[in-house]
């Protein structure tokens, strides 16, 4: 099998390493800089440079760059993809790219599937890529038709070397609504939390709670700004919801109202137990 990977950062590099670990795959890759491509070649992460002329030889093309770059790449190379292969993106939002890619795929005769590997770290770049990043991690896919069982079986077979655990199927709209809560809101809250003037004096006074809360504050600003603005309406809903909740805690503390504060804590604890067992 020949796999093409567009973008060799944390996700693209980890995809390449995972395929190389599994063996039996020729991995072609390209990046925004020649230096990154040369490093990937030297490290053995890729077997060759992915050029537009080689796209037709790839059974699977994975787009692991910023959403706007992926959309531009699809438009520029729509006529070059294999008619029997699959093209899949690996971005954090799905509505924008799927709305652009599905019509292109239909017009030019290739198959596009939206994808979102639910794995990552707070770091970015090829130097942080890991072959085991996707081991047992969830994978979300957005097919052009929800009930295309044959396509879903093909996708699962192509992704098998990456080591994913559960593979979920959904729509672009449902994906983006959920990801605003599970991922994007967490990054915003973490990034805002670390801006407290007290944070600079935390050493010696912090442990697990601080580490857990601030881990994703160390993010890629350009990428997360693009992803969140693409998902603007869902994010505004989630932000409005958490702001209402935070106001309740603040009001109870300001009023020295222990009974209300305990009730708010109990509600949150019970909600956590209901959701996560």
């Amino acid at each position: 099998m020949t796999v093409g990977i567009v973008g060799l950062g944390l996700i693209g590099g980890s995809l390449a390493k995972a395929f190389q670990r599994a063996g039996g795959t020729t991995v072609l890759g390209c990046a925004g800089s020649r230096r990154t491509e040369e490093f990937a070649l030297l490290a053995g992460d890729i077997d060759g440079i992915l050029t537009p002329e080689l796209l037709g030889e790839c059974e699977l093309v994975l787009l692991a760059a910023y959403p706007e770059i992926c959309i531009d790449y699809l438009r520029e190379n729509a006529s070059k993809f294999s008619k029997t292969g699959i093209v899949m993106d690996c971005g954090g939002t799905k509505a924008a790219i799927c709305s652009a890619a599905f019509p292109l795929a239909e017009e030019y005769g290739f198959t596009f599937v939206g994808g979102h590997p639910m794995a990552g770290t707070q770091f970015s770049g090829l130097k942080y890529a890991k072959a085991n990043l996707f081991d047992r991690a969830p994978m979300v896919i957005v097919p052009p038709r929800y009930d295309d069982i044959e396509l879903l079986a093909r996708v699962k077979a192509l992704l098998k070397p990456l080591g994913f655990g559960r593979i979920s199927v959904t729509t672009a709209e449902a994906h983006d609504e959920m990801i605003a809560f599970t991922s994007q809101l967490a990054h915003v809250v973490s990034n805002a939390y670390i801006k407290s003037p007290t944070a600079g004096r935390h050493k010696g006074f912090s442990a697990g709670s601080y580490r857990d809360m601030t881990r994703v504050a160390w993010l890629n600003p350009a990428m997360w700004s693009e992803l969140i603005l693409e998902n603007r309406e869902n994010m505004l809903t989630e932000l409005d919801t958490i702001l209402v909740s935070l106001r309740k805690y603040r009001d109870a503390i300001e009023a020295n109202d222990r009974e209300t504060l305990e009730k708010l804590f109990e509600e949150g604890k019970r909600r956590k137990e209901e959701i996560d067992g």
Side-chain angles (χ1 to χ4, degrees):
M1 178 171 73
T2 300
V3 173
I5 300 175
V6 179
L8 294 171
L10 173 68
I11 297 299
S14 296
L15 291 168
K17 287 177 181 289
F19 275 115
Q20 295 288 25
R21 177 189 64 174
T25 302
T26 298
V27 181
L28 305 177
C30 63
S33 74
R34 181 64 185 175
R35 183 177 181 180
T36 299
E37 293 173 347
E38 291 174 348
F39 182 85
L41 278 169
L42 184 64
D45 297 333
I46 60 175
D47 300 301
I49 304 298
L50 178 64
T51 62
E53 293 73 26
L54 294 175
L55 287 171
E57 300 179 15
C58 299
E59 287 94 321
L60 176 65
V61 176
L62 294 165
L63 308 177
Y66 291 5
E68 288 185 4
I69 293 174
C70 291
I71 292 173
D72 289 343
Y73 189 89
L74 283 166
R75 288 173 175 157
E76 292 168 6
N77 297 285
S79 63
K80 301 181 180 70
F81 296 116
S82 168
K83 302 301 186 287
T84 59
I86 289 176
V87 181
M88 176 184 291
D89 85 295
C90 299
T93 57
K94 296 274 75 74
I97 192 161
C98 286
S99 63
F102 286 151
L104 282 171
E106 186 173 355
E107 180 181 355
Y108 288 93
F110 66 91
T111 300
F112 178 85
V113 176
H116 187 182
M118 302 301 298
T121 73
Q122 65 269 41
F123 305 112
S124 60
L126 179 60
K127 67 179 179 178
Y128 296 109
K130 301 185 295 181
N132 65 352
L133 184 65
F134 309 110
D135 286 357
R136 296 176 295 280
M139 175 66 174
V140 181
I141 60 175
V142 178
R145 294 204 329 271
Y146 194 81
D147 60 349
D148 192 337
I149 303 303
E150 182 179 348
L151 174 59
L152 297 179
R154 287 177 60 203
V155 170
K156 288 181 180 180
L158 289 168
L159 296 179
K160 187 176 181 180
L162 300 174
F164 286 111
R166 178 179 177 181
I167 294 182
S168 302
V169 182
T170 188
T171 64
E173 293 73 23
H175 169 277
D176 288 0
E177 179 182 10
M178 185 58 66
I179 220 69
F181 170 73
T182 61
S183 178
Q184 294 177 343
L185 180 65
H187 282 76
V188 170
V189 171
S190 178
N191 197 263
Y193 172 79
I194 197 63
K195 292 176 181 177
S196 167
T198 313
R201 305 190 303 274
H202 81 85
K203 291 183 179 178
F205 297 86
S206 57
S209 298
Y210 171 84
R211 288 194 302 270
D212 292 345
M213 188 71 179
T214 60
R215 182 180 68 83
V216 294
W218 197 342
L219 46 68
N220 181 325
M223 181 185 77
W224 281 98
S225 295
E226 182 176 339
L227 290 172
I228 286 171
L229 290 177
E230 280 189 1
N231 204 19
R232 180 172 173 270
E233 294 305 319
N234 288 320
M235 272 300 293
L236 288 174
T237 297
E238 292 299 338
L239 282 168
D240 287 345
T241 300
I242 196 171
L243 287 171
V244 169
S245 292
L246 287 172
R247 172 58 65 178
K248 291 178 181 178
Y249 289 93
R250 189 192 185 286
D251 289 349
I253 293 168
E254 184 178 42
N256 201 29
D257 185 347
R258 178 171 178 173
E259 181 179 353
T260 297
L261 188 59
E262 286 187 8
K263 182 180 178 182
L264 290 169
F265 282 142
E266 182 60 36
E267 289 173 351
K269 177 186 175 184
R270 185 170 62 251
R271 184 67 172 146
K272 173 67 174 176
E273 290 171 347
E274 292 170 353
I275 293 169
D276 296 330

